Amino acid sequence: MELKLGDYKTEVHNDWCPGCGDFGIVNAIQMSLAEMQIPRHKAAIFSGIGCSGKTSHFINVNGVHTLHGRVLTFAQGAKLTNPDLTVIAAGGDGDGLGIGAGHFVAAGRRNLDLTYIIFNNGVYGLTKGQASPTLKLGEKTKSLPSPNTNYSVNPIGLAIASGFTFVARSYAYDVRHLKDTITAAVKHKGLSFIDVLQPCPTYNDINTRDWYAGMDEVTKVTKPRIYKLNETDYDPVVHYDEENELNQKLTQALIKSLEWGDKIPIGIFYKNEIISQYDKRITDKIPNYLENPPASQTISENGNPSTDISEILNSLSV
Amino acid sequence: MSTDISWLIGGPQGSGVESAANIFSKACASMGYHIFGKREFYSNIKGEHSYFTVRVSDSIIRSNVDNVTLMVAFDAETIFRHYSEIIQNGAIIYDSDLVQTSADEVHTIDAPYKSRLAKHLGPKPTIQNALDFAKNNGAKLYPISFKTILSNMADETNNPRIKGMARMYNVLGVSVSLGILKMPPKTLLDAIGSIFAKKQAIADLNKNAATYSYNYATAKFPDFAFTLNPTSKSQNTILVQGYQGTALGKMACGCRFQPYYPITPASDESVFLESNEIVNVKDDRPGSTIVVQTEDEISAIGMTIGGALTGTRSATCTSGPGFSLMAEALGWAGINEVPIVVTLYQRSGPSTGLPTRHGQDDLLFAIHAGHGEFPKIVYASGDVEESFYDTARCFNYSEQYQLPVIHMMDKFLASSVVTCKRFDVDKIKINRGKLLEKLEPGANYKRFAFTDDNLSPRSKLGLENGIFWNTGDESDEAGHITEDPEMRIKMMDKRQSKLDYVLKTIPDDEQAVSFGIEEISIISWGSPKGPILDAIDLLKKENIKIGFIQVKLLHPFPKDRLGYLFKNVKTIIDVESNHVGQLGELIKQNLQRTPNYYILKYTGRTMTSTEIYDSIKNIIANKAKARQVLTHGA
């Protein structure tokens, strides 16, 4: 039976602020799951803490609302033990790039087959608008007592440097683009990352919906700032296993990620399916890992252990 | 006459002390002896003083003693550190080239110890002074030039390469020891063969060196008072490294996922699991344990929880500093009723503390780890053999009661090498509690459904019709966030009721073990068990009867069980390796009794049975302060 978009929605009351970019992201995730027809029990949404952390409650698949900064750790544990799951991790920019930055980098090194979506709004909304790691140096959003004193982290650049093999950006108010990006990310074989520009209507009065649309009063820009990489001749894919090819694609992605201000690219910055996925690295050591992963293994029969450790015990015998 | 000797080998870290001890232990164990060995080392890779003490006996032993029967010293520091421990008629095998070395020349000896040496041996002490001291105490001196032995061997075998092989000193040391102890040479060669089983050329070279030095020793030092003849061998004995108890327990009871971050003394367990990651399964294809080295301990416990959510038995293994980082996630596992096991190999804190030394500092921390109120179990093993079976119990508890279990181990257990009965997998039962394997369509599954026993059927990620939600927020039955006051009461009551349920349903002898109750009884937990039992045996020979209760379930605290056991005890002696007497605090809190005496050790060194014996004698003679602090060990 075909699953409909409505099947992926829960009835949980949504308490995000009116006009919040998060709505677009939840919709896009639901649309993408419906498009891919992923059985509900085989999908798991892991979320961090903050407004974005509530995401998992609104989607009618397994939902694990974890700890601040730790979403990737939980998500990787589930994927490693049950590789059959479609795992999507979601969290805020403070969650993933501030308190959770170490896990972000380490996850890149592993390259497990899962998707991580960061809701990037430049502020800590749920604690009343402090600066997040992506807020630009010197910017003063509404509730900051003084301008931001920290340089901003570059999420795309950090993902590329850390080893993510699919790195993209999308925009919360372009739900179709976001849905397509999520689908591409989930289908990617390896760890995918989507930096979603997500205006916070309550606390970020700089990077507003109007600002992204190029209609803000501050800069007098009149064209949309956002443009799509796939409408240019930009090619994000690493096509063959050669150092020059890899370096060229990494460098162009990094340079592209630095574009900001009047022109902001969205789309896929980098995609590399040549680097081995983590499960391949496991099957190199444990050949039947994918057919018989931890979650499916028989460990007991009628309450008695099925594991036979006699070989090891023999080697210890005196 | 019964045999009970204590052999010590010491040298700079990285000089092969450990493999020497393994060969010695293996040889003695294969002759039928009981072994109790322990390793002491600095937080250092190469150069600092490390040593291994192996006690060998023809009766059951569970601890080390203060005194040394035979010592092998590759370097001056070993002699300076241990010369006063040699018993009458014992001996020191030492490198004859070291005799003139003064303590000042040994740069790894720290200032406080140098000044203690000077007090004991006189100003500017040399090795000769230390050896003289031992000799005056009745020890024999067996000088050997390791260099000359290698050089002679090189000449005789026409293999000049051997001359410079200082890394063979360790095998020379063991072989000379066994020659002096008149052990049959075949046992030695077999032990070397099995230790170097995977490296044939190295095994052969070492066997040659062993034979040469063994013969040298039997010819030159035939007069040693102690010998090791074959003794009656008990069946089904294994020689096991401390950390292998929990590792093999995990394998046997079906733990299939262990993320960890490297930390002494816990990592050996994870490395062993990874070295044996493919596991044999009866009548089935092989299984596997996925061991992941994570970026930190926060990730380790986060992944462990993620693994447990898929229905995989999952654990992590750490020590104090890492456990500190896990506290927040522990609460998440508590509120979401996730069964995980944290194996906590304690060491001496606080902070980095004595990073390679022993301690039982973290009992109260383990009990209280994590903010907020949530149920957990803290369970402690007293020896290596027990830790195998307890590991399986911990997994069962975690799944039966759906909560995190902290399995308390420590450095003493981790780095001891012991003989014990072969682990019997048939004695392990696996109880997965209310884990669901199947759900019908339309089941309207709710992860935290209220039930009579307050335990909800547990789904797993990937189970058809069993979709569920978790959150670190308070939640309703479905697992969605709630801040409703009435739901909060119901959910808190549901979770907290497990603590009573645990006490009601875990059998008495799994809560606390009685080794006899007397007017004077010891209470303790964890690794002091062995030294305590050996001390009690010694006292028994003098017709002094001391009771002993080993507490295994430390949280929730088995106060009914202990209240019953201690009903007629007049004098309680609390024995622990920490400063506070942490179990003593729990006794005060729960039994409204204050231990009459404390025997505590917090030097980072392990307790010996000698120390406990002496302390109890003091108590009996009414010469003891309420608090005796033990100090033995370099």
Side-chain angles (χ1 to χ4, degrees):
Chain A
M1 202 177 68
E2 197 192 354
L3 288 154
K4 300 196 176 55
L5 178 59
D7 294 327
Y8 292 95
K9 294 180 187 286
T10 63
E11 286 170 5
V12 175
H13 164 68
N14 191 320
D15 59 2
W16 286 330
C17 304
C20 179
D22 290 358
F23 288 104
I25 305 177
V26 164
N27 287 337
I29 296 173
Q30 290 161 338
M31 286 161 67
S32 170
L33 290 169
E35 179 176 271
M36 291 183 284
Q37 287 290 300
I38 294 173
R40 290 168 49 228
H41 68 278
K42 287 195 175 180
I45 311 287
F46 289 77
S47 57
I49 291 294
C51 293
S52 59
K54 297 176 182 173
T55 301
S56 49
H57 296 282
F58 305 134
I59 301 173
N60 198 8
V61 301
N62 292 296
V64 185
H65 182 187
T66 69
L67 288 168
H68 195 38
R70 317 303 170 204
V71 60
L72 281 174
T73 69
F74 288 65
Q76 290 173 96
K79 182 71 183 177
L80 279 160
T81 48
N82 185 351
D84 199 29
L85 291 171
T86 296
V87 174
I88 297 175
D93 41 6
D95 193 292
L97 302 165
I99 186 170
H103 308 307
F104 185 87
V105 172
R109 295 171 52 217
R110 289 189 195 100
N111 196 32
L112 258 90
D113 189 14
L114 56 86
T115 299
Y116 183 34
I117 302 173
I118 281 189
F119 296 31
N120 181 356
N121 61 15
V123 291
Y124 285 80
L126 213 47
T127 49
K128 300 185 190 170
Q130 295 84 355
S132 94
T134 59
L135 190 69
K136 305 290 176 199
L137 175 64
E139 286 189 341
K140 183 181 171 311
T141 46
K142 207 153 97 185
S143 63
L144 291 186
S146 56
N148 180 22
T149 51
N150 293 303
Y151 195 77
S152 57
V153 71
N154 171 353
I156 301 279
L158 185 62
I160 289 165
S162 305
F164 283 70
T165 51
F166 177 105
V167 181
R169 182 191 283 149
S170 190
Y171 179 50
Y173 289 115
D174 189 341
V175 176
R176 178 166 295 276
H177 182 271
L178 179 52
K179 182 264 292 174
D180 288 344
T181 311
I182 293 170
T183 302
V186 170
K187 288 187 170 166
H188 171 75
K189 292 183 171 45
L191 181 63
S192 48
F193 169 60
I194 310 172
D195 173 31
V196 183
L197 305 174
Q198 174 253 315
C200 172
T202 305
Y203 290 109
N204 190 331
D205 52 348
I206 297 174
N207 309 112
T208 60
R209 185 176 191 160
D210 283 351
W211 184 84
Y212 283 113
M215 297 192 295
D216 59 302
E217 292 302 305
V218 186
T219 54
K220 308 289 181 202
V221 173
T222 51
K223 284 195 304 196
R225 289 183 151 85
I226 287 176
Y227 74 97
K228 292 174 178 142
L229 284 172
N230 63 353
E231 292 172 359
T232 69
D233 60 0
Y234 185 88
D235 174 15
V237 180
V238 178
H239 293 285
Y240 38 90
D241 191 6
E242 230 175 57
E243 201 182 335
N244 280 346
E245 164 77 356
L246 181 65
N247 288 349
Q248 194 261 320
K249 293 290 156 62
L250 284 169
T251 326
Q252 74 164 13
L254 190 59
I255 292 169
K256 196 45 93 178
S257 74
L258 297 170
E259 266 183 37
W260 190 260
D262 291 351
K263 288 183 73 187
I264 299 172
I266 61 171
I268 302 171
F269 283 66
Y270 175 75
K271 178 174 165 68
N272 182 347
E273 286 187 335
I274 293 166
I275 289 176
S276 64
Q277 280 174 241
Y278 198 77
D279 56 17
K280 166 75 172 60
R281 301 174 201 168
I282 298 180
T283 49
D284 284 348
K285 310 191 296 172
I286 304 166
N288 75 352
Y289 161 66
L290 288 175
E291 300 112 70
N292 192 24
S296 332
Q297 290 177 30
T298 310
I299 62 163
S300 63
E301 212 179 315
N302 302 324
N304 297 311
S306 307
T307 313
D308 176 6
I309 57 167
S310 55
E311 256 178 48
I312 300 175
L313 292 176
N314 291 345
S315 75
L316 301 175
S317 284
V318 289
Chain B
M1 204 185 96
S2 68
T3 303
D4 191 345
I5 69 158
S6 191
W7 178 78
L8 184 150
I9 187 160
Q13 192 104 301
S15 65
V17 165
E18 195 167 356
S19 27
N22 285 338
I23 295 168
F24 184 87
S25 305
K26 188 99 189 171
C28 295
S30 71
M31 300 242 306
Y33 285 103
H34 298 273
I35 302 296
F36 194 95
K38 63 142 193 185
R39 182 175 171 227
E40 281 291 351
F41 53 102
Y42 276 81
S43 178
N44 159 266
I45 294 175
K46 278 199 160 85
E48 294 283 358
H49 175 57
S50 86
Y51 69 97
F52 216 117
T53 317
V54 184
R55 187 172 164 208
V56 182
S57 174
D58 49 11
S59 28
I60 289 176
I61 43 170
R62 316 166 188 92
S63 64
N64 287 110
V65 290
D66 282 4
N67 293 327
V68 173
T69 319
L70 180 61
M71 171 163 97
V72 187
F74 302 136
D75 65 347
E77 182 162 4
T78 301
I79 301 172
F80 279 127
R81 294 275 181 189
H82 302 279
Y83 66 93
S84 62
E85 296 168 20
I86 316 299
I87 58 165
Q88 195 172 16
N89 293 326
I92 305 177
I93 301 164
Y94 61 98
D95 193 330
S96 51
D97 299 344
L98 295 171
V99 181
Q100 298 310 319
T101 310
S102 71
D104 284 340
E105 292 169 78
V106 184
H107 65 91
T108 46
I109 299 183
D110 46 1
Y113 190 67
K114 267 183 192 153
S115 78
R116 289 207 296 279
L117 265 179
K119 262 188 210 148
H120 199 231
L121 292 175
K124 304 256 171 221
T126 63
I127 288 293
Q128 192 61 60
N129 301 140
L131 293 171
D132 288 345
F133 179 94
K135 198 175 175 184
N136 287 337
N137 270 359
K140 288 193 181 311
L141 301 180
Y142 293 148
I144 276 186
S145 170
F146 290 109
K147 216 194 282 173
T148 313
I149 291 190
L150 281 185
S151 165
N152 293 345
M153 216 183 112
D155 292 346
E156 283 177 31
T157 56
N158 249 336
N159 185 353
R161 260 187 345 126
I162 294 173
K163 211 173 273 185
M165 285 188 172
R167 64 172 185 276
M168 299 231 307
Y169 284 6
N170 61 347
V171 170
L172 301 186
V174 177
S175 311
V176 169
S177 303
L178 293 178
I180 288 170
L181 289 162
K182 301 180 188 71
M183 176 179 277
K186 184 176 177 306
T187 322
L188 166 64
L189 299 180
D190 288 349
I192 292 174
S194 87
I195 299 286
F196 296 107
K198 286 173 187 155
K199 306 167 192 161
Q200 188 60 43
I202 295 178
D204 289 344
L205 193 62
N206 278 297
K207 281 183 190 175
N208 289 340
T211 309
Y212 188 92
S213 39
Y214 179 95
N215 292 338
Y216 178 85
T218 43
K220 193 148 182 215
F221 310 120
D223 59 340
F224 195 47
F226 301 86
T227 54
L228 286 178
N229 302 310
T231 178
S232 63
K233 197 165 166 176
S234 46
Q235 292 298 304
N236 282 328
T237 301
I238 53 175
L239 178 66
V240 59
Q241 310 270 337
Y243 60 83
Q244 290 172 337
T246 54
L248 288 164
K250 283 177 178 176
M251 290 171 74
C253 81
C255 171
R256 291 294 174 261
F257 188 45
Q258 173 142 318
Y260 81 103
Y261 186 77
I263 188 166
T264 304
S267 343
D268 287 342
E269 195 226 57
S270 299
V271 172
F272 181 83
L273 281 175
E274 189 173 352
S275 308
N276 296 282
E277 60 194 348
I278 298 181
V279 294
N280 294 331
V281 178
K282 284 171 209 153
D283 311 318
D284 198 5
R285 58 198 166 159
S288 55
T289 313
I290 304 299
V291 179
V292 182
Q293 186 187 323
T294 58
E295 59 275 23
D296 55 35
E297 286 89 350
I298 298 173
S299 179
I301 191 165
M303 279 201 199
T304 305
I305 294 170
L309 292 177
T310 69
T312 305
R313 282 196 156 186
S314 303
T316 183
C317 183
T318 190
S319 188
F323 187 65
S324 293
L325 295 185
M326 294 181 178
E328 188 191 14
L330 211 56
W332 196 96
I335 195 170
N336 284 291
E337 311 197 30
V338 186
I340 58 166
V341 173
V342 179
T343 311
L344 178 52
Y345 277 97
Q346 302 163 90
R347 66 190 207 193
S348 265
S351 191
T352 309
L354 302 168
T356 59
R357 309 289 183 182
H358 170 64
Q360 291 184 288
D361 304 15
D362 298 332
L363 174 58
L364 294 177
F365 175 47
I367 288 171
H368 297 290
H371 61 282
E373 298 170 319
F374 62 93
K376 62 164 104 67
I377 287 177
V378 177
Y379 200 73
S381 294
D383 60 40
V384 177
E385 186 176 353
E386 203 174 287
S387 74
F388 173 77
Y389 302 100
D390 287 349
T391 300
R393 281 181 186 173
C394 286
F395 277 91
N396 286 346
Y397 298 157
S398 75
E399 291 203 288
Q400 277 174 268
Y401 307 110
Q402 302 186 27
L403 40 65
V405 176
I406 298 154
H407 186 190
M408 304 298 280
M409 298 289 291
D410 58 40
K411 188 264 170 185
F412 185 5
L413 298 172
S415 62
S416 50
V417 180
V418 298
T419 44
C420 66
K421 262 195 220 120
R422 184 183 167 110
F423 301 149
D424 185 355
V425 180
D426 294 338
K427 282 192 190 155
I428 288 181
K429 291 286 168 226
I430 293 182
N431 182 342
R432 307 214 61 186
K434 291 191 176 179
L435 178 66
L436 294 167
E437 292 301 336
K438 201 172 183 271
L439 268 172
E440 298 304 325
N444 191 24
Y445 175 72
K446 288 196 167 108
R447 171 65 188 93
F448 302 108
F450 296 119
T451 62
D452 288 346
D453 60 3
N454 285 328
L455 295 166
S456 318
R458 181 164 64 96
S459 183
K460 48 189 178 184
L461 296 176
L463 183 70
E464 203 165 1
N465 308 311
I467 286 175
F468 65 93
W469 286 269
N470 283 150
T471 172
D473 290 53
E474 189 54 272
S475 77
D476 58 19
E477 286 178 279
H480 291 305
I481 300 169
T482 185
E483 295 188 17
D484 179 69
E486 284 183 16
M487 185 58 84
R488 167 67 172 178
I489 290 178
K490 281 184 168 176
M491 281 295 171
M492 282 296 286
D493 291 350
K494 172 185 193 292
R495 291 189 298 266
Q496 291 298 97
S497 73
K498 292 180 193 181
L499 292 170
D500 283 338
Y501 193 58
V502 164
L503 287 173
K504 257 185 226 148
T505 43
I506 291 185
D508 280 352
D509 59 348
E510 291 183 23
Q511 300 188 9
V513 181
S514 166
F515 292 89
I517 298 168
E518 303 293 342
E519 264 186 26
I520 303 176
S521 288
I522 294 173
I523 189 161
S524 187
W525 64 285
S527 61
K529 175 190 172 187
I532 289 169
L533 287 175
D534 280 356
I536 287 176
D537 278 357
L538 286 175
L539 292 160
K540 213 178 274 165
K541 286 180 190 155
E542 300 169 24
N543 277 325
I544 300 170
K545 285 183 185 160
I546 304 290
F548 172 38
I549 306 298
Q550 178 203 3
V551 188
K552 300 193 68 165
L553 178 64
L554 290 143
H555 183 79
F557 198 74
K559 65 176 175 189
D560 290 347
R561 165 83 170 142
L562 291 176
Y564 167 78
L565 290 171
F566 277 96
K567 202 170 46 192
N568 297 320
V569 172
K570 292 215 174 94
T571 305
I572 300 180
I573 306 172
D574 176 25
V575 180
E576 299 182 65
S577 291
N578 57 46
H579 187 278
V580 167
Q582 298 188 13
L583 175 59
E585 292 300 299
L586 293 175
I587 301 210
K588 284 191 226 167
Q589 214 176 63
N590 291 283
L591 301 185
Q592 282 78 47
R593 280 190 73 170
T594 302
N596 307 74
Y597 293 97
Y598 289 90
I599 300 174
L600 303 171
K601 189 165 187 176
Y602 43 91
T603 57
R605 275 62 174 180
T606 57
M607 286 186 187
T608 65
S609 45
T610 321
E611 289 179 296
I612 295 177
Y613 168 87
D614 291 343
S615 308
I616 294 173
K617 290 279 272 195
N618 286 340
I619 290 170
I620 290 165
N622 243 334
K623 286 194 305 197
K625 287 186 196 151
R627 187 182 154 89
Q628 298 184 77
V629 176
L630 309 182
T631 58
H632 177 79

